[in-house]
Amino acid sequence: MLDFLKSSFSLANIFSLWAFFCLICYWLGKKKLFQWSVFLGLLFLLVCSTSYVPKKLIRNLEAQYEAINTEKLDTAQTYYIHVLGAGYDLDKNLQATSQLDLQTLGRLT
């Protein structure tokens, strides 16, 4: 189910649906709706294709949390680290560091 959700909502699928919607509006003669959908779609593409918005969102989220102080951690306890802004592969046959994307590994180290 998780793989289906990951593949369903990709940007390519969203833009394909957007293009189909624009074509239908054009064929039906809905000029205003066509113009607005083209404008909003191109604006969405611009926002998704630049790194400014994702970097700003992550910077704001990271600013909410203080940096970890490793000297205050209990060495007998297990800690889980959530790295923001990157991906992973959930494969139990791989080592923990091999499951991380290159960007995640860089952020972690």
Side-chain angles (χ1 to χ4, degrees):
M1 182 68 172
L2 186 59
D3 291 331
F4 171 73
L5 289 176
K6 283 183 182 179
S7 65
S8 301
F9 297 107
S10 68
L11 283 178
N13 291 347
I14 291 172
F15 282 115
S16 298
L17 289 173
W18 165 73
F20 184 69
F21 178 75
C22 287
L23 283 175
I24 289 175
C25 291
Y26 182 75
W27 286 334
L28 293 177
K30 307 282 186 182
K31 187 175 181 179
K32 281 287 190 190
L33 186 59
F34 172 73
Q35 290 173 344
W36 273 105
S37 61
V38 168
F39 172 74
L40 292 176
L42 292 176
L43 183 68
F44 183 68
L45 175 67
L46 181 66
V47 167
C48 291
S49 63
T50 60
S51 64
Y52 175 74
V53 173
K55 284 182 180 178
K56 180 143 179 71
L57 291 174
I58 288 178
R59 196 175 308 119
N60 288 341
L61 187 59
E62 285 178 340
Q64 294 177 3
Y65 302 97
E66 63 183 56
I68 190 169
N69 187 354
T70 56
E71 296 172 356
K72 293 183 179 180
L73 296 178
D74 183 12
T75 57
Q77 189 176 354
T78 302
Y79 293 96
Y80 296 96
I81 300 173
H82 184 90
V83 181
L84 299 174
Y88 66 94
D89 186 15
L90 198 59
D91 187 356
K92 299 297 181 191
N93 297 326
L94 297 175
Q95 297 175 353
T97 55
S98 297
Q99 292 182 21
L100 302 175
D101 283 349
L102 207 56
Q103 293 84 4
T104 309
L105 192 58
R107 292 176 71 90
L108 183 63
T109 56

